[in-house]
Amino acid sequence: VTPDEAHLEQVLLELRTSDGLAVSVLEASGREAGDRAARDGLLAPDAWAGGRAVLTRRGRLLADGVAISLAGA
């Protein structure tokens, strides 16, 4: 498993938990994607502002796409 594959797997798995994903594991492009996702209602804005990427109900329906964007893949 390459480092990029491991990072994508981490984002895919942790994003689906109720605690979400720590923003600190994302690169700059992933944080920019997270800003867009929060504005678009895919990530909970309060959690995002607090350093966690937590999917909203709408975001859960598009979880793979959100995760791929956050991972920069």
Side-chain angles (χ1 to χ4, degrees):
V1 176
T2 68
D4 287 342
E5 291 170 336
H7 178 67
L8 177 59
E9 189 69 20
Q10 177 186 11
V11 172
L12 285 165
L13 292 173
E14 290 185 24
L15 189 61
R16 286 173 169 74
T17 66
S18 60
D19 289 334
L21 172 74
V23 173
S24 61
V25 304
L26 301 175
E27 296 178 8
S29 63
R31 289 190 297 275
E32 290 171 10
D35 287 339
R36 286 189 301 275
R39 282 193 309 270
D40 292 344
L42 303 175
L43 294 176
D46 291 343
W48 181 254
R52 305 288 306 174
V54 178
L55 292 168
T56 62
R57 181 175 289 195
R58 183 169 166 243
R60 288 175 195 239
L61 296 173
L62 303 168
D64 286 346
V66 174
I68 290 168
S69 293
L70 294 178

